[in-house]
Amino acid sequence: MSDYVEWIQEILTALGYDPGPVDGVNGEKTDAAIRLFQKENDLAVDGQVGELTHSALLLAHSMVDLKLDQDGKLVLKDFTPDEFTCECGCGLDICDRLKAFAQRLRDQFGWPLVISSGARCPTVNEAVGGVPDSCHLTGHAFDAYFPGQMNEEVINQMADYAISQEIGVIRYPNQLFCHFQIPLRNEIIY
Ligand SMILES: [Zn+2]
Ligand SMILES: [Zn+2]
């Protein structure tokens, strides 16, 4: 019996696969469910949860329970669509995976989360002093903080949660916010 197998079984169940009972035992049904998941996600079908399958499971799980509106846009419980778009009104948006992460981060801490910067077109990125290759430019980053709650400990907890979800993070302890991004990254900038 293993906690890791149990975790895999929980995710597979949530995703609608049938790994059998969540008992931490990698039996026939769990093996079949892992293989089916791998097949449907274009992964090597070997029944082993290596790095790629692990990431695919996390990604698929982060998209579970999310609602789409009639235009196929993600509907979040605590955020309006314009909270993540470029501030100039050009319509540039961040990716769904990061939006879903923002909602989970909010749920995890239970506090309102302010998105201080989402997607940025080149004009806006330059105006706010963003680096030329910023992930904000492609909609793969957002900056956020919990008003009135921020300190170094909370920043570290936010970063730990991001890493656990395979989301990259840059901590800004002096400015009391975190930058979240895809791809993975883990840095502190003072
Ligand atoms: Zn813009
Ligand atoms: Zn940022």
Side-chain angles (χ1 to χ4, degrees), residues 1 3 16 32 59 82 94-95 106 117 143 166 168 176 181 190:
M1 208 199 111
D3 287 348
L59 173 59
D82 59 359
I94 69 166
C95 65
R106 193 205 181 285
S117 185
D143 302 339
E166 307 241 320
L176 297 176
Q181 69 166 55
Y190 289 97

Side-chain angles (χ1 to χ4, degrees), residues 120 136 143 179:
R120 297 176 194 155
H136 288 274
D143 302 339
H179 159 105

Side-chain angles (χ1 to χ4, degrees), residues 85-92 119-125:
T85 51
C86 180
E87 64 183 45
C88 86
C90 66
L92 185 69
R120 297 176 194 155
C121 62
T123 316
V124 168
N125 191 56

Side-chain angles (χ1 to χ4, degrees), residues 143-184:
D143 302 339
Y145 65 96
F146 292 114
Q149 307 286 357
M150 299 303 285
N151 55 47
E152 199 152 351
E153 196 187 329
V154 169
I155 286 182
N156 289 337
Q157 287 167 359
M158 289 166 80
D160 287 345
Y161 183 65
I163 297 299
S164 80
Q165 302 294 302
E166 307 241 320
I167 298 288
V169 57
I170 304 175
R171 303 165 215 206
Y172 290 89
N174 295 337
Q175 297 169 69
L176 297 176
F177 76 94
C178 285
H179 159 105
F180 299 103
Q181 69 166 55
I182 297 169
L184 210 50

Side-chain angles (χ1 to χ4, degrees), residues 2-81:
S2 101
D3 287 348
Y4 188 59
V5 173
E6 214 171 285
W7 177 84
I8 293 165
Q9 288 170 329
E10 265 167 25
I11 290 188
L12 285 169
T13 305
L15 292 173
Y17 294 86
D18 178 19
V22 177
D23 57 6
V25 178
N26 191 1
E28 225 169 276
K29 279 197 139 180
T30 300
D31 183 71
I34 292 169
R35 285 171 193 270
L36 181 59
F37 174 82
Q38 288 175 325
K39 188 170 170 234
E40 291 182 353
N41 286 277
D42 295 323
L43 296 156
V45 180
D46 59 6
Q48 306 293 317
V49 179
E51 208 177 310
L52 288 177
T53 300
H54 177 94
S55 299
L57 280 169
L58 264 181
L59 173 59
H61 193 226
S62 74
M63 305 296 283
V64 159
D65 292 339
L66 299 171
K67 292 195 195 82
L68 302 179
D69 69 11
Q70 53 202 26
D71 300 323
K73 281 214 146 206
L74 201 60
V75 181
L76 298 173
K77 186 160 50 85
D78 297 304
F79 298 94
T80 56

